[in-house]
Amino acid sequence: MTELDIRNAIISNISRMSNWASSTFISEMFIDDFTRRADLVVASNNKLIAFEIKSDRDKLDRLDGQLKSYTRFFEQVTVVCAERHLAGIEANSISDVGIWTIGKDGFIRKVRKAKNLEQHSMHSWLSFLPVDELRELLRTHGIKFARNRDGLMAAADEIPLKAIRKYVLAYLQRRKERIQERIGKKGQGQLDTPPSIEEYLKTLSHQPITAI
C-alpha cells in the first residue's frame, strides 16, 4: 500500500469512532521550525494526535528523530507501518508511542496503544499559531502586544496554558479551510496535496519560527 492508501485507511478507521467523529484531519503538517512534517495530524476538541506512516517503500533511518520531535508537540503519537517494519519499530521506539500495522488488504491491527504524553510547553502550543492568530489570542485576553512574533510570544506568557491549548485546538480544527482560502484551493472533505513550503509560509504571514 502507498502512503496515501495508508493515510486514507487511518482516516476511515478513526472516523468510525464516535468520540472522533467530528475530528479534523491535517495532511503533512510542518512542525519544529519546519524541520519535520507529520504525515497525518488529528485535531479534536480534546486531543492533538500525530501519525507517522511507514509503508513498504519507506526506511526507518529517520524515525528516531521524527518521534523525538512529535512527542514534544503532540499529545499522542502513533506509528502506522507495513508489517515488515514492526520488529524494527518495536525495538527502537519509546513505549509511549503507539504502533499500528496495516496489511496489504488495508486491515489495521493495533499492536500498542499510544499513551498520553506529558503536558507540553506554552511555546510548543504557540508554535502552531501564525502571527494573526497570536494577535487574536492576545486580543481575546485583553493583552497589549508588540508587532513581531517574538513580542507576541512573550506577551502570551500571561495567558494560562489551558487557555492556550484550547485556542490552538480550535484553530487547528479550522486550519484547513483557512489555508484553502488563502491559496485559492477549492473543495472540502478531501485531503488535498499539501502546498509547497513556500506556499505554506505565505499562508502563515510570518517568518519561520526561530526558537521554541
Side-chain angles (χ1 to χ4, degrees), residues 20-172:
W20 291 97
S22 61
S23 299
T24 296
F25 301 95
I26 304 170
S27 173
E28 299 192 352
M29 182 179 187
F30 292 104
I31 63 164
D32 204 359
D33 199 15
F34 300 93
T35 61
R36 302 291 181 191
R37 187 162 62 179
D39 289 326
L40 179 65
V41 173
V42 184
S44 74
N45 290 330
N46 58 12
K47 194 76 67 179
L48 186 61
I49 298 177
F51 288 90
E52 175 60 26
I53 295 169
K54 295 299 180 187
S55 70
D56 274 320
R57 301 175 184 177
D58 291 321
K59 297 180 180 179
L60 302 182
D61 53 319
R62 295 188 301 123
L63 183 62
D64 181 62
Q66 289 171 322
L67 295 181
K68 285 179 179 177
S69 288
Y70 299 168
T71 53
R72 289 172 46 223
F73 289 88
F74 298 101
E75 296 176 300
Q76 283 186 0
V77 177
T78 294
V79 181
V80 183
C81 66
E83 292 173 343
R84 77 178 186 90
H85 290 310
L86 177 58
I89 292 172
E90 284 184 312
N92 295 290
S93 63
I94 61 174
S95 60
D96 290 343
V97 172
I99 302 175
W100 298 0
T101 61
I102 185 163
K104 294 182 180 180
D105 58 357
F107 178 76
I108 289 176
R109 180 169 67 95
K110 298 176 182 179
V111 178
R112 186 170 75 197
K113 183 178 179 180
K115 296 180 182 178
N116 291 326
L117 299 169
E118 294 182 4
Q119 192 175 59
H120 300 319
S121 71
M122 177 196 70
H123 283 263
S124 292
W125 282 108
L126 291 174
S127 71
F128 289 106
L129 298 179
V131 164
D132 61 333
E133 292 288 344
L134 273 171
R135 291 186 182 124
E136 183 59 29
L137 171 64
L138 294 169
R139 191 178 293 114
T140 299
H141 289 268
I143 300 173
K144 294 182 179 181
F145 49 83
R147 298 182 65 180
N148 60 47
R149 185 172 182 86
D150 288 341
L152 295 170
M153 296 280 278
D157 280 334
E158 299 180 32
I159 304 174
L161 182 60
K162 184 177 180 180
I164 292 174
R165 176 182 179 274
K166 182 178 179 180
Y167 187 93
V168 171
L169 289 174
Y171 161 70
L172 291 175

Side-chain angles (χ1 to χ4, degrees), residues 176-177 179-188 192-196 199:
K176 180 183 175 184
E177 287 71 22
I179 290 177
Q180 288 178 331
E181 180 181 351
R182 291 284 182 99
I183 64 177
K185 288 189 175 181
K186 297 181 179 180
Q188 296 184 8
D192 301 316
T193 301
S196 68
E199 291 173 319

